[in-house]
Amino acid sequence: MSQFSVYITPPDYLSQWLRHEYWDSESARVVFPRGSAPRAVLQALLRKTPSGFRQSDTAGLLPVEVPTFKGLNPASFNYLSPTGQKALISACKTLFQSMLANELHELFAHDIQITDIIYDFMDRHGIERTERNWETIRQMYSRMRKKNKATRS
């Protein structure tokens, strides 16, 4: 495990989910498994740290481990540009949406109330029961279902 981290600012629900699913308490940061999409984004977009760059205040940011990749020493390749950070957050959202769809689809198909399904999902994945988190996840799932219906028609 490398000692280097990059820092991202995902939405609250996503930050809470990442901490619940991928948090390594020993290193106190998110560690993505080999073969995962976020790890592939890191491999593709990590760059050498620009001269003079210093990570400013990291309070409130989510630390993510910079893994060791073949040919990319984390001591040198430990910078993720703002565009790279957005790409990493996007890959995390896609991973989240995949889990959301897989877990909620079966329950929704059995006519269980969406409110109950989403709160249960939030509880199981370490997401705080706030109205904002609930509404964000509900809208995300609703859009996914509409998109899925449109592609089947």
Side-chain angles (χ1 to χ4, degrees), residues 3 19 47 66-68 73 80 84 92-93 97 103 115 117 123 130 134 139 143:
Q3 64 183 5
R19 286 179 186 274
R47 300 286 176 253
V66 173
T68 301
N73 182 342
L80 196 59
C92 293
K93 281 182 182 177
Q97 289 172 338
E103 291 189 19
T115 303
I117 295 170
D123 291 343
T130 65
W134 182 87
Q139 286 181 3
R143 285 185 201 115

Side-chain angles (χ1 to χ4, degrees), residues 81-102:
S81 70
T83 304
Q85 292 172 27
K86 287 180 185 177
L88 180 57
I89 292 169
S90 179
C92 293
K93 281 182 182 177
T94 301
L95 198 58
F96 177 84
Q97 289 172 338
S98 175
M99 178 181 281
L100 180 68
N102 288 339

Side-chain angles (χ1 to χ4, degrees), residues 13 16-17 20-21 96 100 103-104 115-138:
Y13 76 92
Q16 293 162 15
W17 176 75
H20 185 267
E21 299 296 320
F96 177 84
L100 180 68
E103 291 189 19
L104 298 193
T115 303
D116 299 334
I117 295 170
I118 291 174
Y119 276 125
D120 181 69
F121 177 86
M122 291 167 63
D123 291 343
R124 283 183 284 129
H125 294 288
I127 301 170
E128 291 177 21
R129 280 180 161 244
T130 65
E131 193 63 33
R132 182 180 180 132
N133 285 343
W134 182 87
E135 183 60 22
T136 299
I137 294 168
R138 184 198 67 75

Side-chain angles (χ1 to χ4, degrees), residues 6-61:
V6 293
Y7 296 86
I8 58 175
T9 54
D12 287 343
Y13 76 92
L14 193 61
S15 180
Q16 293 162 15
W17 176 75
L18 287 167
R19 286 179 186 274
H20 185 267
E21 299 296 320
Y22 299 105
W23 190 255
D24 178 71
S25 55
E26 191 176 304
S27 66
R29 60 192 168 176
V30 170
V31 177
F32 293 111
R34 290 179 188 261
S36 66
R39 194 168 168 126
V41 168
L42 287 170
Q43 184 173 14
L45 300 179
L46 281 170
R47 300 286 176 253
K48 285 188 176 185
T49 306
S51 62
F53 174 79
R54 296 248 183 250
Q55 181 68 50
S56 57
D57 185 23
T58 58
L61 302 178

